[in-house]
Amino acid sequence: MDRNHAITAGDIAAARAAFSADRGNLIARNAVSAAGIAAAARNPEAAALATTTFDIQLEQGDITDQKRSGRCWMFASLNTMRYRVMKKLGVKTFELSQAYPLFWDKLERANWFFENILATADLPLTDREVAYLLTDPLCDGGQWDMFRSLVKKYGVVPKEAMPETFHSSNTSALNQYLTRYLRAGAKRLRDAHAALADENELSALRTELLGGVWRVLAICLGEPPTSFDVRIRNEKGELKASGSYTPQQFFAEFVDMDLDDYLSVINAPTSDKPYGRSYTVKFLGNVVEDGGVRYVNLPMDALKRMAVAQLKDGLPVWFGSDVGQSFLSEDGVLDPAAFEVDQLFDLPIECGLDKAARLDYGESLMTHAMTLQGVNLDEAGAPTRWRIENSWGDDHGKKGYDVASDAWFDEYVYQVVVDKKYLTADELAAFESEPIELAPWDPMGALAD
């Protein structure tokens, strides 16, 4: 059967007539053409969600700013850690260096890339996995498990021990030139493998290439410190910390966090990912010797239960979401009712796909990591609104904070990181089971930036 259907003059005439006959279309046209879709569809009642007082509310100190970089996953991770430092030292604000893990992530990710290039060296360049590896080998984005690997190996440092540089806050040119260098390195490695180079020759070439990565990073970011002096006073001028530390010593003493206790729990309600199973993603990681990522997929009620429990115990929660969806950015409000787009166009645009279908059809995935710092609860103890610490500066939202409705949490949150003590025995056993490997391009392998 011929399925071709060309748009005819009759089709166009009918569309014109139907549009003009509807008064709502004409009003919508005037509003959108003058102010844009977002302004015309904005629901003013949704802005009322932007409360500043919560039943459970953690205070974090000065808001951080990732500027023109994709380091949200690092900022969110460091924000959970600096909270511990602040509580331990009794200070109102404190900041850990975000340039420090950026340096190590770029170096480790370059090594991870070369590892995978060699692992696929017998495949043609047209192979989908090889093409995937070459597409974006050194982007800024990442996930919690990758940050955990960096901190386990390299520790953390106060911001003054490795401050921001132009290219830590503006990473596009750094990424552009390093990516080009890595692709040239991939060619050299594949060519050497094709010429039957032995393991020693390939290892020497990798070492040479990584030396070049170090040089670029050191020029753009400065070299990371091996040790540093610390003097931290509280608001009363009392000296709370003093001495010389390595990054690993500083983490152990002041963050004092068992990183292996913190697990990634996802909500992916798609038919190919049954709940109660563990998953990993092929090629996703950075530190070779620490392996890749691992999640357990659970219903959304489980993610909320764990997040609320950790907040009640006085600790923030790292989470990943699709932040661009239903977001009144100026108001700092995230809610499915934020924009009445379907009413504006009289079409099933936002309601046309549920959460599973949005994942399956490429409409949504995790794009940004932030930190849960509070929650409102109803009479039954169920969450109604969530207080979110962002990393876009204090001129965003409510002095750097956003507020999400629980309905938005249901639809657009994909991952939380919690202490394993909040998982049931069955949930923990599911996490520890042999993981199912997802394809590199699976939406649950998306990197928050």
Side-chain angles (χ1 to χ4, degrees), residues 435-449:
I436 297 168
E437 185 177 72
L438 303 175
W441 40 85
D442 189 275
M444 299 318 294
L447 300 178
D449 60 11

Side-chain angles (χ1 to χ4, degrees), residues 321-322 325-326 334-336 404-413:
S321 68
D322 189 355
Q325 302 275 7
S326 302
L334 297 140
D335 187 78
S405 69
D406 194 57
W408 186 90
F409 201 97
D410 283 333
E411 297 297 327
Y412 297 113
V413 169

Side-chain angles (χ1 to χ4, degrees), residues 217-251:
L217 292 173
I219 289 171
C220 293
L221 305 176
E223 291 191 283
T226 57
S227 64
F228 50 90
D229 291 332
V230 171
R231 303 289 186 275
I232 301 174
R233 294 182 181 273
N234 64 13
E235 284 66 28
K236 297 179 181 179
E238 300 167 332
L239 190 64
K240 306 298 291 186
S242 176
S244 181
Y245 295 86
T246 67
Q248 294 85 351
Q249 289 170 339
F250 188 84
F251 175 81

Side-chain angles (χ1 to χ4, degrees), residues 1 73 80 101 109 179 191 230 239 256 277 357-358 361 368:
M1 182 176 64
W73 59 294
T80 67
R109 207 176 303 204
T179 296
D191 288 350
V230 171
L239 190 64
D256 189 22
R277 298 294 302 271
R358 287 194 295 271
Y361 283 83
H368 190 56

